[in-house]
């Protein structure tokens, strides 16, 4: 693994989320493994999973620093995961998401906007990767 710090952020974020899906559980009741369950339609579930794959793809772009860091590319990847992503969630789906989930989501999107800001101003790849790693503290 060329970029263990970035990979760690991805793995820890996903391990700590504490949320699962199931269509045969009551909303927000705990799953057998203790995670909360979101009751979503298949389309809504697909939308969340798509968002997750966007997260993963953006994080991979940000950590794909080979030799010479491409800070504009880091900033662009982070910007795509920032608050602008929030506006793409339909109100009906948003209404089904527990407060804790939405707060975590907002916090992580805000973190990505911060990463964009410093990638453009400081242009220091190690700073950006540290910020990415710290983002998992919120998740
Ligand atoms: C850098 C940030 C993140 C990355 C890279 C990431 C990545 C992923 C990936 C790859 C999946 C599996 C997607 C699939 O099944 O196709 C996933 C699932 C999930 N993620 Fe994220 N995620 C991130 C942040 C978040 C945040 C902030 C939340 C909640 C606010 C969240 C909630 C979930 C949930 C609920 C699932 C489904 C878990 C399950 O199916 O049991 N993730 N994530």
């Amino acid at each position: 693994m060329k970029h263990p710090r970035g990979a760690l952020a991805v793995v820890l974020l996903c391990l700590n989320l504490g949320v699962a899906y199931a269509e045969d559980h009551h909303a927000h009741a705990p799953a057998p493994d203790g995670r909360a369950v979101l009751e979503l339609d298949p389309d809504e579930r697909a939308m969340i999973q798509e968002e997750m794959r966007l997260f993963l793809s953006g994080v991979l772009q940000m950590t794909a620093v080979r030799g010479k860091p491409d800070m504009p590319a880091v900033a662009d990847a982070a910007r795509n995961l920032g608050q602008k992503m929030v506006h793409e969630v339909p109100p009906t789906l948003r209404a089904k998401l527990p407060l804790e989930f939405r707060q975590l989501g907002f916090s992580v999107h805000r973190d990505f906007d911060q990463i964009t800001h410093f990638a453009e101003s400081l242009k220091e790849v190690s700073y950006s990767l540290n910020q990415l790693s710290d983002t998992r503290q919120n998740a």
Side-chain angles (χ1 to χ4, degrees), residues 10 13-14 17 19-21 35 38 45 48-49 52-53 55-56 59 101 104-105 108 112:
V10 174
L13 266 168
C14 290
L17 288 172
V19 185
Y21 299 100
R35 294 180 298 163
L38 303 182
R45 178 180 179 169
I48 296 281
Q49 287 173 321
M52 292 305 139
R53 289 191 288 272
F55 266 135
L56 181 57
V59 168
F101 185 101
L104 177 59
V108 169
F112 279 110

Side-chain angles (χ1 to χ4, degrees), residues 32-113:
D33 62 7
R35 294 180 298 163
V37 174
L38 303 182
E39 203 167 287
L40 302 177
D41 297 339
D43 284 356
E44 293 167 338
R45 178 180 179 169
M47 188 171 288
I48 296 281
Q49 287 173 321
E50 171 65 20
E51 174 161 321
M52 292 305 139
R53 289 191 288 272
L54 290 175
F55 266 135
L56 181 57
S57 148
V59 168
L60 292 177
Q61 285 168 39
M62 293 168 68
T63 53
V65 182
R66 292 187 198 84
K68 191 171 177 290
D70 182 349
M71 295 312 290
V74 171
D76 282 349
R79 186 180 295 104
N80 288 333
L81 304 180
Q83 299 279 20
K84 68 179 280 230
M85 220 172 165
V86 175
H87 305 297
E88 291 158 15
V89 178
T92 46
L93 171 54
R94 192 174 300 157
K96 289 186 182 179
L97 300 174
L99 183 62
E100 196 184 11
F101 185 101
R102 283 183 287 137
Q103 285 174 337
L104 177 59
F106 276 121
S107 162
V108 169
H109 289 302
R110 265 197 307 269
D111 283 354
F112 279 110
D113 284 335

Side-chain angles (χ1 to χ4, degrees), residues 1-9:
M1 178 70 65
K2 281 186 181 162
H3 308 289
R5 197 161 33 191
L8 186 68

